Amino acid sequence: MFEGLSAFPLTPYDEAGPDLELLSEIVGGLADAGVDSICALGSTGGYAYLSRRDRWEVARAAVRAAGNVPVIVGVGALSTREVRAHVRDAGAAGAAGVLLSPMSYQPLRPHEVYALFEEVSRATELPVVVYDNPSTTGFTFTEELHTKIAALRGVASIKLPGVASDPERAREDFGRLRELTRGSVTLGVSGDSMGARGLLAGCVTWYSVLAGVFPRTCLEITRAARGGEPERALELSARLDPIWEQFEKFGSYRVVSAIAVEIGLMTRESLHRPVLPLAGADREAVRAALRAVGPLD
């Protein structure tokens, strides 16, 4: 479950709440494509904006639609009490694991983040994925904190936010973290432009936003990187540079939502105000990027 390609789908949403029928179609399509796992309610899925009831319904629908593909469910929230409630709901929905980010309003200190993961790991039998995403949470993990959290019972994987551009430096970084964690967890890369480089540097999982809309394209990169074809993996990733550039400018949440509408996967965007859909020249830049990369999936 914590190796290969993990796809992060959008959560179709309108004034009435989550569109569970369309969500099921999207998740079913990811499962049919052959992804190794699916993460419902990641950042792309807008988990932070949804009510507990909405999140429960999305988790249950995703698990049912995924069939035999394991579903990881995002459980981050502002308070530990809320996190524990989401963890219980994820378990009741049939999730195979949970994805936990240290969300906060007050900036968190390292020992507070450790306490959060310690309490959650004690409270559930589900494997826990550490969601290290400083661009959205504002919290930066250290190697020391990763090492301490990795030693907790039930912590199974760390979703890292990126990788050094220099291949040798990247291999050294991941090798050191593997040694520090004594192989007790899998290491995964996010930040889609760095997916191929992360896999080639020693990560075993690519936690991918783009895989939520183009799973076969991302599977091709994953299989090349893990199958001993480094040049091909890098070439396939480089083909997507126009999309990676839009991710860098506007954030993957906005860009993937725009892509989903442009390719007909959804008829309306599922962003949550105050986040607004890309428009005007910004929207045209996404269309131009899609034209530049050509047909996908």
Side-chain angles (χ1 to χ4, degrees):
M1 174 169 55
F2 301 113
E3 295 188 15
L5 180 67
S6 186
F8 282 57
L10 293 152
T11 301
Y13 200 91
D14 58 26
E15 292 83 357
D19 184 337
L20 301 179
E21 183 176 351
L22 180 53
L23 172 72
S24 297
E25 291 177 10
I26 292 172
V27 170
L30 298 178
D32 290 343
V35 301
D36 298 290
S37 65
I38 295 167
C39 184
L41 298 171
S43 293
T44 310
Y47 75 95
Y49 300 99
L50 303 184
S51 69
R52 180 181 178 184
R53 179 178 179 80
D54 286 344
R55 290 167 70 160
W56 150 249
E57 290 179 342
V58 167
R60 183 174 57 175
V63 169
R64 289 176 174 174
N68 293 327
V69 178
V71 174
I72 305 163
V73 173
V75 294
L78 288 178
S79 72
T80 302
R81 173 179 53 80
E82 292 174 292
V83 170
R84 293 187 61 166
H86 294 313
V87 169
R88 290 194 297 273
D89 291 344
V98 294
L99 176 73
L100 177 57
S101 59
M103 290 178 64
S104 67
Y105 175 71
Q106 298 295 335
L108 295 176
R109 301 167 68 189
H111 72 276
E112 294 169 329
V113 172
Y114 177 80
L116 168 66
F117 282 91
E118 183 181 39
E119 184 167 341
V120 169
S121 67
R122 284 202 314 264
T124 182
E125 295 299 316
L126 292 174
V128 177
V129 179
V130 179
Y131 191 2
D132 182 350
N133 190 356
S135 64
T136 58
T137 65
F139 181 83
T140 300
F141 283 82
T142 62
E143 283 189 346
E144 179 184 6
L145 184 57
H146 275 317
T147 303
K148 287 184 63 179
I149 290 175
L152 292 170
R153 182 196 65 82
V155 173
S157 186
I158 301 176
K159 179 181 183 289
L160 297 161
V163 56
S165 57
D166 176 69
E168 186 59 33
R169 169 68 184 280
R171 284 191 291 271
E172 290 175 359
D173 289 346
F174 286 121
R176 184 172 61 254
L177 188 53
R178 278 198 307 273
E179 184 176 340
L180 289 170
T181 58
R182 299 187 178 89
S184 61
V185 298
T186 66
L187 301 181
V189 62
S190 59
D192 275 12
S193 65
M194 294 172 276
R197 283 189 280 134
L199 291 170
L200 293 171
C203 284
V204 297
T205 315
W206 180 13
Y207 294 105
S208 172
V209 171
L210 195 67
V213 289
F214 295 128
R216 290 175 178 84
T217 296
C218 295
L219 273 169
E220 193 174 9
I221 295 171
T222 303
R223 288 168 178 161
R226 301 192 73 210
E229 299 180 89
E231 294 83 3
R232 184 164 179 268
L234 293 171
E235 288 171 3
L236 290 169
S237 181
R239 176 193 171 194
L240 302 174
D241 279 349
I243 293 177
W244 306 150
E245 291 169 6
Q246 303 312 307
F247 278 16
E248 182 67 25
K249 282 195 285 188
F250 304 121
S252 60
Y253 180 50
R254 295 180 182 87
V255 174
V256 169
S257 179
I259 288 173
V261 173
E262 294 295 328
I263 66 174
L265 185 65
M266 301 192 313
T267 58
R268 58 172 293 158
E269 299 204 27
S270 293
L271 301 175
H272 296 265
R273 296 177 71 93
V275 181
L276 297 174
L278 297 175
D282 296 341
R283 185 54 166 255
E284 182 53 37
V286 173
R287 295 190 185 108
L290 289 172
R291 290 194 297 268
V293 301
L296 299 175
D297 271 20

